Amino acid sequence: MKIFHIAILLIGLTTLSPLVWAGDGTHPPKKKSGKKRGTFLLELPASLNTSPVDSVKRKPDSIEARLTTAPAEEAPFKPSIQVGAIVHMFASAEQSGFGAPSTDADSKGWNKGFSVYRARVLVGGQLSKKGSFFMETDLPSAIGTQLSSGVKNVKVAPIILDAQYEYDFANAFSLVAGMQLVSNNRNGLQGAGGLMANDFTYFQYPYNLFANSPLQGNFGRDLGVNARGFLANDKLEYRVGVFTGRNIDGGAPLRTVGRVVYNFLDPDKDYYYAGTKLGKGKTLSWGAGWDEQASYYNFSTDVFFDHPLGDAGSLTLNAAFQYMTGGTNLDSKYSFATLIPKQTVQYLELGYYFKEPKLQPWIRFENQHIDAAAEQTNGVDPSAYNKLNSSAVYGGGLNYFFNGSTTNLRLSYTARSYHVATPTEGVYDKQTYGQVWLQVQFFIF
């Protein structure tokens, strides 16, 4: 009988030991430390490589010794993959002159409609311990009513928006290759799922949106290689990249983009920045960057502050200033002189998140001041050219967060003002056009 009891005890402990070593099996896979964009590395308990039979053969002196015996080797790495989506849908009303100013009386009329503005599929994964990938699709135009034209789209083929591979050599140096978001300032590097306002700003990368834009971009993306790293206890971040930019014959010089940012409080290691953090953490950053190709160059500086303020919630401030020009050299076939006029851009977003009601009111102001040289206007008088091409955007809204950036509802009003030529030479009227959005977002990755 004693031998029978010992046998039962050994069988019970042998069966129990993998469960003790492996945990209860209910915890989700852990994120790999320091990785971005939500990619996961599945970390299997090393004890799963040890069979119950081997445990019995070792015959430790006690049960406690058996449970604390270290595994002989680590589990082999296994690639992982993650799939997500982000969708922005809205009901909207917009005056006809919002997209392009007009002296026509009908430009003050309101167009109305429903649209699926973004519908992205996100795929990312960990391919090796240091290598990961990210892909994202998007709609080249909204599904639904195009408010600027009144035309209704009911079927739109998706496009590849991001396609990139990242390899982390060290915390201080990683490389990202492929099609990726390119900008020298924070707002231009924000992710669509973490915006505070209803949408991206109008002037942060106005020449990099489409294939027919001066920099031949793809919704702010470009093809190239970008280096990134963190120094000074992760407080200092740098990004330096080389991209295709504008290329009409294969011989154009490459586009180079760089950015340096210092975080005075918490480190901020997201690859695509958040426009608001809803009180999670304490962030104060100052950044500066450049963007140049041939005769075009763009210098910028930006400040971001997100910090709990009082018991009610947290304050978010995002501001930037840019100076850009296409130069005045008309002799080179790679000149941007007549494509990008000299200008300055000012941008400010300010919001406060009330954590109990989950509400966030916000305001925004942007100003694009064109100051083109005579070589940049294609023969148009510079004073008239500058007046007609400068514009400002301002507005505000109220966000309700069902569950942070995962699901939320945004109501916003945005106004855009232009100067419009009148029949009297040298006299311009200032016209303002409005846009109202009620937008729902759902996002998971």
Side-chain angles (χ1 to χ4, degrees):
M1 183 65 68
K2 185 175 182 180
I3 295 175
F4 176 77
H5 288 166
I6 293 173
I8 292 296
L9 177 62
L10 288 175
I11 293 172
L13 290 176
T14 303
T15 305
L16 177 64
S17 57
L19 299 178
V20 174
W21 294 330
D24 60 11
T26 61
H27 298 290
K30 298 179 182 178
K31 280 188 179 181
K32 182 180 177 183
S33 176
K35 290 307 296 176
K36 283 75 67 180
R37 297 192 298 275
T39 55
F40 283 93
L41 172 64
L42 183 60
E43 298 178 350
L44 295 175
S47 57
L48 292 185
N49 292 329
T50 305
S51 69
V53 176
D54 291 335
S55 299
V56 173
K57 287 180 179 179
R58 282 199 297 270
K59 295 183 180 179
D61 295 334
S62 65
I63 295 177
E64 290 78 14
R66 282 185 57 198
L67 297 181
T68 57
T69 301
E73 58 185 41
E74 294 183 0
F77 173 84
K78 292 185 178 181
S80 61
I81 192 169
Q82 187 172 350
V83 179
I86 178 171
V87 173
H88 287 158
M89 303 181 291
F90 62 77
S92 58
E94 179 181 291
Q95 289 181 293
S96 300
F98 187 88
S102 172
T103 56
D104 192 336
D106 291 338
S107 65
K108 291 293 185 179
W110 289 84
N111 299 322
K112 299 168 288 293
F114 299 91
S115 299
V116 176
Y117 186 55
R118 288 186 179 92
R120 300 179 178 180
V121 176
L122 296 76
V123 182
Q126 198 73 30
L127 302 177
S128 65
K129 290 185 177 180
K130 294 188 176 184
S132 59
F133 79 96
F134 177 67
M135 291 184 63
E136 184 176 17
T137 66
D138 200 7
L139 304 175
S141 60
I143 297 175
T145 304
Q146 310 298 300
L147 297 181
S148 58
S149 63
V151 176
K152 182 180 179 182
N153 288 342
V154 293
K155 185 169 69 173
V156 177
I159 61 171
I160 297 295
L161 191 63
D162 298 270
Q164 57 202 63
Y165 174 76
E166 178 178 358
Y167 192 87
D168 292 330
F169 293 89
N171 188 56
F173 181 71
S174 63
L175 286 178
V176 183
M179 184 178 292
Q180 55 194 284
L181 198 58
V182 177
S183 180
N184 57 352
N185 66 83
R186 182 187 178 94
N187 185 259
L189 291 169
Q190 287 182 191
L195 297 173
M196 180 168 66
N198 60 328
D199 201 6
F200 291 98
T201 61
Y202 285 82
F203 309 126
Q204 295 305 297
Y205 38 77
Y207 302 103
N208 192 34
L209 283 178
F210 308 110
N212 59 357
S213 299
L215 290 166
Q216 294 183 323
N218 181 33
F219 293 93
R221 275 75 176 172
D222 204 348
L223 286 159
V225 179
N226 196 26
R228 185 189 186 214
F230 294 89
L231 306 167
N233 294 322
D234 291 342
K235 295 296 184 73
L236 181 67
E237 177 196 1
Y238 72 88
R239 304 186 189 210
V240 181
V242 180
F243 303 93
T244 306
R246 184 174 184 82
N247 198 320
I248 56 176
D249 59 5
L254 293 174
R255 175 187 180 191
T256 61
V257 183
R259 169 177 165 80
V260 177
V261 58
Y262 188 82
N263 289 284
F264 295 90
L265 301 176
D266 295 343
D268 190 357
K269 302 188 74 172
D270 291 336
Y271 190 79
Y272 291 157
Y273 299 118
T276 181
K277 296 191 174 183
L278 305 178
K280 297 179 180 178
K282 301 173 181 179
T283 304
L284 173 59
S285 68
W286 172 75
W290 79 90
D291 183 358
E292 66 87 23
Q293 182 181 15
S295 65
Y296 156 74
Y297 54 89
N298 178 336
F299 299 109
S300 72
T301 184
D302 57 82
V303 175
F304 180 78
F305 179 73
D306 193 287
H307 198 285
L309 187 64
D311 295 333
S314 60
L315 180 73
T316 300
L317 181 145
N318 200 351
F321 175 85
Q322 290 190 82
Y323 169 83
M324 70 185 84
T325 181
T328 57
N329 179 13
L330 297 175
D331 297 329
S332 172
K333 63 179 178 179
Y334 305 125
S335 173
F336 286 82
T338 58
L339 299 174
I340 302 177
K342 184 173 67 172
Q343 61 190 277
T344 58
V345 173
Q346 301 89 38
Y347 151 73
L348 173 69
E349 280 184 357
L350 181 65
Y352 188 88
Y353 175 64
F354 294 91
K355 58 185 179 182
E356 288 301 327
K358 299 182 180 180
L359 292 172
Q360 184 182 52
W362 56 268
I363 58 173
R364 169 192 280 180
F365 171 77
E366 300 174 66
N367 183 60
Q368 183 186 36
H369 176 68
I370 306 294
D371 188 23
E375 294 88 347
Q376 299 178 321
T377 64
N378 286 308
V380 179
D381 176 64
S383 61
Y385 181 94
N386 295 336
K387 200 79 169 178
L388 294 173
N389 286 279
S390 298
S391 65
V393 176
Y394 52 90
L398 181 66
N399 303 334
Y400 175 71
F401 295 90
F402 298 96
N403 183 23
S405 61
T406 303
T407 50
N408 50 66
L409 188 66
R410 304 167 185 268
L411 176 64
S412 65
Y413 173 80
T414 303
R416 190 168 186 177
S417 63
Y418 306 85
H419 284 93
V420 180
T422 68
T424 304
E425 185 176 353
V427 177
Y428 307 92
D429 285 340
K430 188 174 183 179
Q431 299 287 342
T432 301
Y433 306 91
Q435 179 193 76
V436 179
W437 279 15
L438 178 61
Q439 175 182 282
V440 63
Q441 167 181 304
F442 63 85
F443 171 47
I444 186 169
F445 188 55

